[in-house]
């Protein structure tokens, strides 16, 4: 369904409930357009995929702490530990 048709259907669904407050003039807003086709550029929310990195980071940090893995130069141990203890899930869908 095109974005224009979707907007019409959303407005049609909101009007009977009284949730539609009307249309405002958008003179001040900037509408981004594609330089090649001239189409309006609108953000589209998509599902994101994440890799849980917490367990992997704990294991990697533990191996360095026990000496099973040696960091070179050794002064990087504190940086490594700080990085591994604050690790967050990795959004891989933005990498594809």
């Amino acid at each position: 369904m095109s974005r224009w048709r979707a907007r019409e259907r959303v407005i049609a669904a909101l009007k009977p409930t009284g949730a539609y407050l009307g249309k405002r003039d958008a003179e001040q807003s900037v509408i981004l357009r594609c330089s090649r086709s001239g189409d309006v550029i609108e953000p589209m929310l998509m599902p994101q995929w994440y890799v849980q990195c917490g367990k992997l980071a704990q294991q990697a940090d533990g191996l360095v702490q026990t000496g099973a893995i040696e960091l070179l130069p050794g002064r990087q141990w504190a940086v490594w530990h700080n990085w591994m203890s604050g690790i967050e899930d990795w959004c891989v869908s933005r990498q594809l």
Side-chain angles (χ1 to χ4, degrees):
M1 174 183 318
S2 74
R3 64 181 171 268
W4 307 111
R5 181 73 184 127
R7 287 179 182 172
E8 291 171 1
R9 290 186 66 183
V10 168
I11 291 170
L14 292 175
K15 280 184 179 178
T17 64
Y20 182 68
L21 301 177
K23 183 177 176 182
R24 284 195 253 165
D25 217 3
E27 294 177 22
Q28 298 296 330
S29 65
V30 176
I31 299 175
L32 299 177
R33 294 189 176 270
C34 175
S35 61
R36 286 185 165 178
S37 66
D39 285 344
V40 174
I41 299 173
E42 295 188 55
M44 184 170 27
L45 299 177
M46 300 293 290
Q48 302 294 315
W49 302 341
Y50 290 88
V51 173
Q52 293 178 341
C53 297
K55 285 184 180 181
L56 183 62
Q58 285 178 344
Q59 290 174 349
D61 195 30
L63 289 171
V64 170
Q65 287 180 14
T66 61
I69 295 177
E70 181 183 0
L71 294 180
L72 296 174
R75 66 180 180 269
Q76 292 298 320
W77 185 87
V79 173
W80 170 268
H81 179 69
N82 186 39
W83 184 33
M84 290 293 118
S85 63
I87 202 82
E88 295 181 7
D89 292 344
W90 176 28
C91 180
V92 294
S93 55
R94 297 184 181 265
Q95 309 298 315
L96 303 176

